[in-house]
């Protein structure tokens, strides 16, 4: 069988295929985000039924479109122009509205604040440690008091090795079949980074090709997250879940946890001095 043509490229520049790879969990994630609002927002706002959402690093906008379609007011941003163009085209095509623009997680702040923000599937690990602190502060500043940030990330135990980090799945949409294989050719646990290699094979009616992307990703242990959150007292952790997104089944945040969804809540500025300090 002839080898499939392969090129090095940034897979985020190909939103139509990225979107197919991740579309499977979208409805479940959207329902979980709504359930978090009902459970953790202050009582007067928890009823909704309409929430104002912010999605940092929205990628292909699968959740933007789903939540806008469910009647919510959604603002989102991403650093990658092809992703932002793709979401805006899709919104137009689906005749639903949301505001989607170019923005950087380290700096983006909303003026009209949101009830809730969400950032799933490990996107947070694109940020360096300082970038993560800046991002959490900017996101807290974008939320109303008592607002929540639903943050999904895969943590590592101290003794991780590259051999353990291997993932592969296939999704098909209409005539297009996308297989994603994730490997880790380099890992430095002491320095808390890894090179994540994503190989995305695309087969459709026109032929097939493979894109290979290497990205430097920050690593976090559960203790690293505790230390990080301690630096951003604007937020408190109100609960933790796993990637099954079941609101009835919180997951204990201990040192063995791997896939974790934190529900962070913005503290009241009346009680804490920390949020005042960052604004002043
Ligand atoms: C794994 S995708 C996740 C997309 C989306 N959150 C989802 O659930 O499908 C990661 C996205 O993060 C974006 N990204 C990476 N670094 C960023 C930054 N500093 N600011 C904004 N977006 C960033 C990439 O362009 C990419 O679209």
């Amino acid at each position: 069988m002839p080898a499939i043509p392969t090129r090095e490229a940034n897979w985020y520049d190909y939103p139509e295929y990225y979107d197919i790879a991740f579309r499977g969990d979208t409805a479940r994630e959207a329902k979980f985000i709504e359930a978090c609002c009902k459970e953790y927002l202050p009582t007067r706002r928890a009823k909704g039924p309409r929430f104002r959402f912010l999605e940092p690093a929205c990628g292909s906008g699968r959740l933007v479109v789903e939540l806008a379609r469910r009647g919510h007011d959604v603002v989102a941003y991403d650093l990658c122009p092809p992703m932002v163009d793709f979401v805006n085209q899709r919104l137009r095509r689906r005749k639903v509205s949301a505001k989607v623009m170019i923005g950087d997680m380290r700096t983006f702040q909303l003026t009209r604040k949101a009830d809730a923000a969400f950032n799933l599937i490990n996107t947070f690990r694109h940020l360096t440690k300082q970038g993560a602190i800046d991002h959490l502060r900017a996101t807290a500043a974008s939320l109303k008091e008592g607002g929540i940030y639903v943050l999904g990330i895969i943590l590592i135990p101290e003794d991780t090795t590259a051999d353990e980090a291997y993932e592969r799945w296939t999704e098909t949409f209409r005539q297009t079949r996308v297989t994603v294989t994730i490997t880790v050719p380099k890992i430095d646990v002491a320095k808390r980074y890894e090179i994540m290699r994503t190989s995305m094979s695309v087969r459709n009616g026109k032929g097939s090709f493979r894109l290979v992307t290497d990205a430097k990703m920050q690593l976090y242990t559960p203790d690293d997250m505790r230390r990080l959150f301690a630096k951003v007292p604007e937020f408190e952790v109100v609960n933790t879940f796993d990637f099954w997104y079941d609101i009835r089944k919180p997951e204990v945040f201990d040192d063995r946890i791997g896939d974790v969804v934190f529900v962070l809540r913005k503290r009241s500025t009346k009680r804490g001095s920390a949020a005042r300090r960052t604004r002043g």
Side-chain angles (χ1 to χ4, degrees):
M1 208 163 52
I4 175 169
T6 300
R7 55 181 181 266
E8 281 176 32
N10 181 356
W11 68 319
Y12 297 150
D13 287 340
Y14 297 80
E16 64 275 44
Y17 306 124
Y18 169 90
D19 191 70
I20 292 173
F22 287 96
R23 64 195 304 277
D25 275 345
T26 306
R28 186 151 46 120
E29 289 164 332
K31 283 183 197 150
F32 176 75
I33 291 164
E34 287 176 329
C36 287
C37 289
K38 291 185 177 141
E39 189 74 26
Y40 301 110
L41 284 178
T43 322
R44 66 183 187 287
R45 295 208 310 270
K47 285 200 191 85
R50 195 163 182 260
F51 301 110
R52 178 167 166 81
F53 286 119
L54 170 66
E55 183 176 17
C58 62
S60 63
R62 52 194 192 90
L63 284 160
V64 173
V65 175
E66 179 63 20
L67 287 163
R69 198 186 63 75
R70 294 166 82 93
H72 302 291
D73 178 15
V74 187
V75 182
Y77 65 87
D78 197 282
L79 202 53
C80 176
M83 286 288 197
V84 171
D85 292 345
F86 181 80
V87 192
N88 281 320
Q89 280 166 20
R90 195 178 190 188
L91 286 163
R92 277 195 293 276
R93 233 182 16 249
R94 300 281 296 270
K95 296 189 173 35
V96 280
S97 79
K99 204 166 173 197
V100 183
M101 65 206 91
I102 302 278
D104 190 319
M105 284 194 278
R106 292 163 295 184
T107 51
F108 186 95
Q109 275 188 38
L110 272 183
T111 33
R112 194 154 86 68
K113 296 181 200 261
D115 295 301
F118 57 89
N119 187 344
L120 302 181
I121 59 169
N122 238 352
T123 303
F124 188 75
R125 293 212 289 120
H126 278 292
L127 295 164
T128 61
K129 255 186 200 164
Q130 186 55 49
I133 294 170
D134 294 342
H135 171 65
L136 288 174
R137 288 185 178 148
T139 306
S142 301
L143 292 173
K144 299 173 191 168
E145 266 188 25
I148 56 169
Y149 188 19
V150 182
L151 181 64
I153 177 171
I154 301 174
L155 305 181
I156 53 146
E158 287 281 347
D159 56 354
T160 301
T161 66
D163 300 342
E164 290 168 24
Y166 179 93
E167 222 183 317
R168 185 188 175 92
W169 73 95
T170 298
E171 286 276 350
T172 304
F173 182 62
R174 295 187 178 143
Q175 301 304 314
T176 307
R177 184 178 156 88
V178 176
T179 299
V180 177
T181 308
I182 295 180
T183 52
V184 176
K186 182 171 166 48
I187 185 164
D188 190 330
V189 175
K191 291 192 178 143
R192 295 289 196 266
Y193 80 86
E194 69 182 11
I195 303 299
M196 186 178 89
R197 178 164 297 161
T198 310
S199 169
M200 183 165 73
S201 308
V202 178
R203 289 179 187 77
N204 55 26
K206 293 178 220 146
S208 54
F209 60 90
R210 181 182 297 130
L211 301 171
V212 179
T213 310
D214 280 357
K216 189 173 178 180
M217 304 292 276
Q218 183 77 30
L219 296 173
Y220 291 93
T221 63
D223 255 349
D224 294 336
M225 291 310 287
R226 289 187 191 99
R227 280 191 284 269
L228 177 65
F229 292 145
K231 291 197 168 110
V232 189
E234 289 90 331
F235 279 125
E236 60 182 329
V237 179
V238 289
N239 219 338
T240 45
F241 296 85
D242 61 19
F243 280 19
W244 289 102
Y245 304 109
D246 187 343
I247 196 77
R248 294 159 307 176
K249 291 196 183 146
E251 186 75 7
V252 177
F253 180 43
D254 60 17
D255 289 338
R256 285 165 305 155
I257 203 161
D259 300 357
V260 56
V261 183
F262 293 99
V263 182
L264 307 177
R265 186 161 52 205
K266 183 174 174 176
R267 290 181 209 267
S268 161
T269 46
K270 288 178 198 103
R271 280 187 291 120
S273 57
R276 275 200 295 277
R277 202 166 56 233
T278 59
R279 269 193 219 126

